[in-house]
Amino acid sequence: MQRSVPSRAPLVALFLAVAAAVTAAAWLYAYHQALGPLAARGRSDLLLAADRLVTQLQRYREFAVLTADHPALAALHEGGDPEPARAMLREGADKTGTSAIAYRTPNGRILAAAGDRMANDVADAPFFRRAVGGALGARLVTDPARAREPGSRLFTYAAPQFGPDGRVRGVLTVSVDLARLEQEWRGTLPTVYFLDASGVVVATNRSEILGWERHDDGRVTSPGGRTYRVETVTRAGYPIRLQDWSPYVPRAALLLREPLPVIGLDAFALIDVRPARRIATLQASAVLAVVLFFGAILFLVSERRRALTLANAELETRVASRTRDLVDANVQLTREVAERQEAEAALKRAQAELVQAEKLSALGRMSAGISHELNQPLMAIRSFAENGAAFLERDRADRAADNFGRISEMTRRMGRIIRNLRLFARQESAPAGRVDLAQVVASAIELTEARARAEGVALVRAGEAGPVWVRGGEVRLGQVVVNLVTNALDAMADAGGTAREVTVTLTGGAAPAIAVADTGPGIEAPERLFDPFYSTKAVGAGMGLGLSISYGLVQSFGGDVRGENRADGPGAVFTVTLEPWRDAEEAA
């Protein structure tokens, strides 16, 4: 009884779902873990960028403080010539890259100046009034609509100059264009930008976002008036900004902020999270590979155990079933052994009969020619006998004796043909002995030449004519040669207009051989020549056993048979190689 096998699809689906969940959890964990180092590196880059901007502005602050007490400026209050002060301010502006320098009275009137971007509306500005009060003032003036143009972002320091009475008698304003400072660090580090109190990007290393304004409702407006909405999500305690500002600003970035109260700005950095995602993807892929690997192992182990369990149950069922029939099977086996022994004996008899049948089939194919060969001597004998009787009646004994001699020669010829037929037809069981291969070839040609003449085929004998002694059986070797010649004659039926010729070549020496060559169409499948029942003849023209039997006979003598297409033209050649007879064998 065969048990039903439950489907494994739900279990596989559950495993894949668990693997997907584990992989997702691994990805999320690795992503959160990677955000920490990414944020640390981003924080370092942000501090570096902020420090760079602060340091650069600090130089102009110090320049304003130190230059405010210059003697050339103090001389202006004592009625001195303003030209030395102007020259000093021009030289300072050239060396520091300052956009504009102006020394003013507390009410804002300019006493000396250098540069072409001078601000005239500073008298009431908070930063200027701070300087008039004795402290250092600073102001950033921006124009978002012209953020990318020179002079649109001026950072100005105001430093007081104190008179002998301790009161502020002048203010030095130093203005620097932030665009000049950006040239030194634009394009480096991650995306870094600085916002003023109104939320406008006043400095950045990505020029395409200059002048962008951030609103409290999450909107971002470009100087051209286009509005974008950004979204901020939190991952592992870190804010992630999702945006589409520019192809040079990452779409998903870690948002870092650093307030800069010294210069009144806020520094921001957008750190691309793609490295963290790549790390998370790699780790999740590794986890997935491990889960799938061990899952596959567990699946294979479970399937093997399941298969073994089913096989064990099936085996037990079969053993129980077979045990009941064991006694009957033993009896049946005994009967089958006896039947097979009888079948084997019958097979051997059938094989022998097949061999004999093949020989008789060959005899049948030769019968027409042999009948003609025997009929001619019989007709001649009858004619010579009648002539001899007539000569005796006329007392011409010499002529009668001549006719009787011809009759005797004809009978010897008929006897030779009949003897060869008897030898060919009978079954030889004697062991291999000393055989003259030349006589075997002569007998085979004598049996087949009548058919060859009848079919218009030239049967040519070549090679050695004298005795060639080999180890074999005379009758069996004769059967082999007759079969090869007969097959060659059969091949001539499809020779068409080519020269119809069968050549039997005998060679002696250390490797005696017989080569039967024809000019027929050749061999289509040389590798199947000696397979039993393989034949290229028409149905009913043969059983396909001749070459197979010949191959077995020659091998029983220690020889070999080889068939191949002729290299010098159309046709095939079969070569039978035999072992030479040695006198030592006869002595033994």
Side-chain angles (χ1 to χ4, degrees):
M1 180 179 66
Q2 187 175 4
R3 300 183 181 180
S4 61
V5 180
S7 174
R8 310 290 281 181
L11 184 60
V12 173
L14 177 62
F15 170 75
L16 293 178
V18 172
V22 171
T23 303
W27 187 92
L28 190 60
Y29 176 79
Y31 178 62
H32 289 171
Q33 290 297 109
L35 287 178
L38 189 65
R41 289 195 299 271
R43 175 69 62 181
S44 176
D45 292 336
L46 176 61
L47 293 177
L48 179 62
D51 184 67
R52 181 182 297 173
L53 179 62
V54 172
T55 301
Q56 288 174 327
L57 291 176
Q58 190 74 16
R59 291 187 306 171
Y60 296 96
R61 174 186 177 183
E62 295 173 356
F63 172 69
V65 172
L66 294 176
T67 307
D69 294 328
H70 197 278
L73 299 179
L76 295 176
H77 297 283
E78 299 172 0
D81 186 7
E83 188 56 34
R86 293 191 187 101
M88 183 271 297
L89 293 179
R90 284 195 298 270
E91 183 181 1
D94 292 340
K95 289 182 178 180
T96 60
T98 304
S99 299
I101 305 178
Y103 185 68
R104 305 169 186 266
T105 62
N107 59 4
R109 184 171 59 88
I110 297 176
L111 299 178
D116 56 354
R117 298 174 185 172
M118 206 67 62
N120 297 320
D121 56 345
V122 299
D124 297 326
F127 84 103
F128 189 81
R129 302 315 304 171
R130 178 178 172 84
V132 172
L136 180 68
R139 181 183 73 169
L140 174 63
V141 178
T142 61
D143 184 356
R146 299 171 49 249
R148 295 183 178 86
E149 299 179 9
S152 63
R153 296 169 291 147
L154 290 178
F155 197 96
T156 305
Y157 283 107
Q161 184 190 90
F162 296 93
D165 57 356
R167 299 178 63 183
V168 175
R169 59 179 180 179
V171 176
L172 179 67
T173 59
V174 178
S175 298
V176 59
D177 191 352
L178 293 183
R180 180 181 181 86
L181 304 183
E182 287 177 339
Q183 293 177 358
E184 301 180 11
W185 45 277
R186 184 172 294 169
T188 61
L189 304 177
T191 301
V192 176
Y193 59 93
F194 298 87
L195 298 183
D196 61 8
S198 62
V200 177
V201 178
V202 297
T204 179
N205 59 351
R206 299 291 187 270
S207 60
E208 62 270 13
I209 64 174
L210 272 175
W212 289 64
E213 184 177 359
R214 185 190 66 184
H215 301 279
D216 294 337
D217 58 359
R219 293 180 300 110
V220 175
T221 305
S222 70
R226 296 185 61 182
T227 301
Y228 297 87
R229 180 166 296 277
V230 297
E231 182 181 356
T232 303
V233 296
T234 302
R235 294 287 184 269
Y238 297 102
I240 305 297
R241 175 69 61 83
L242 306 177
Q243 58 213 347
D244 190 15
W245 289 3
S246 164
Y248 304 103
V249 177
R251 295 179 180 271
L254 188 65
L255 179 64
L256 302 178
R257 177 179 179 272
E258 183 67 25
L260 303 175
V262 176
I263 59 177
L265 300 177
D266 286 332
F268 290 87
L270 295 176
I271 312 300
D272 195 351
V273 298
R274 284 181 296 181
R277 289 180 175 178
R278 283 195 295 267
I279 293 174
T281 301
L282 289 175
Q283 294 184 5
S285 300
V287 170
L288 178 61
V290 171
V291 170
L292 291 179
F293 175 74
F294 284 103
I297 291 178
L298 291 176
F299 180 78
L300 292 176
V301 170
S302 64
E303 282 296 306
R304 182 175 178 84
R305 294 189 61 181
R306 180 166 170 265
L308 289 175
T309 302
L310 293 177
N312 187 42
E314 182 69 19
L315 182 60
E316 290 177 356
T317 303
R318 291 184 179 181
V319 168
S321 176
R322 293 292 178 87
T323 302
R324 292 191 299 267
D325 301 331
L326 184 58
V327 176
D328 295 338
N330 287 334
V331 175
Q332 181 68 21
L333 180 61
T334 303
R335 280 200 302 267
E336 288 180 359
V337 168
E339 291 175 358
R340 290 189 180 185
Q341 289 176 347
E342 295 177 359
E344 185 177 358
L347 177 61
K348 291 181 179 179
R349 290 193 299 270
Q351 288 176 342
E353 292 172 358
L354 280 175
V355 172
Q356 188 66 13
E358 180 64 23
K359 291 194 294 182
L360 293 177
S361 176
L363 283 175
R365 293 194 297 273
M366 294 186 297
S367 61
I370 294 175
S371 298
H372 179 70
E373 193 71 12
L374 291 177
N375 188 50
Q376 284 184 341
L378 285 174
M379 296 297 293
I381 289 172
R382 178 180 178 183
S383 178
F384 288 140
E386 292 176 352
N387 291 338
F391 285 132
L392 287 176
E393 290 177 358
R394 299 175 185 175
D395 293 330
R396 297 187 64 179
D398 54 342
R399 296 296 300 275
D402 183 51
N403 284 319
F404 293 148
R406 293 186 180 184
I407 290 173
S408 177
E409 183 180 349
M410 291 294 179
T411 56
R412 283 195 299 272
R413 179 182 177 187
M414 293 174 63
R416 190 167 59 251
I417 293 174
I418 293 172
R419 181 178 62 84
N420 290 332
L421 284 174
R422 291 175 61 193
L423 288 174
F424 182 78
R426 78 181 186 185
Q427 296 190 24
E428 181 186 61
S429 59
R434 183 169 178 261
V435 177
D436 182 7
L437 200 56
Q439 184 60 39
V440 172
V441 171
S443 298
I445 290 177
E446 192 169 36
L447 286 173
T448 55
E449 63 181 351
R451 178 188 170 188
R453 283 197 305 270
E455 296 179 0
V457 179
L459 186 57
V460 180
R461 176 176 177 178
E464 298 189 14
V468 176
W469 301 105
V470 296
R471 180 177 179 275
E474 182 177 1
V475 175
R476 285 172 283 179
L477 286 178
Q479 294 171 2
V480 171
V481 177
V482 168
N483 184 64
L484 294 179
V485 174
T486 302
N487 286 345
L489 293 174
D490 292 339
M492 292 297 101
D494 300 326
T498 61
R500 298 156 60 82
E501 182 179 277
V502 176
T503 304
V504 182
T505 305
L506 175 63
T507 57
I514 304 171
V516 179
D518 61 62
T519 57
I523 305 171
E524 294 182 1
E527 69 278 0
R528 298 188 58 194
L529 278 176
F530 302 105
D531 292 348
F533 303 105
Y534 173 73
S535 176
T536 59
K537 300 175 184 178
V539 178
M543 293 183 290
L545 293 172
L547 288 176
S548 178
I549 294 171
S550 299
Y551 182 79
L553 291 176
V554 173
Q555 279 202 328
S556 68
F557 302 141
D560 185 43
V561 182
R562 184 177 69 255
E564 57 191 355
N565 290 314
R566 297 180 61 170
D568 56 349
V573 57
F574 287 83
T575 304
V576 178
T577 306
L578 296 166
E579 292 184 358
W581 177 262
R582 297 177 178 85
D583 294 337
E585 294 185 30
E586 188 175 7

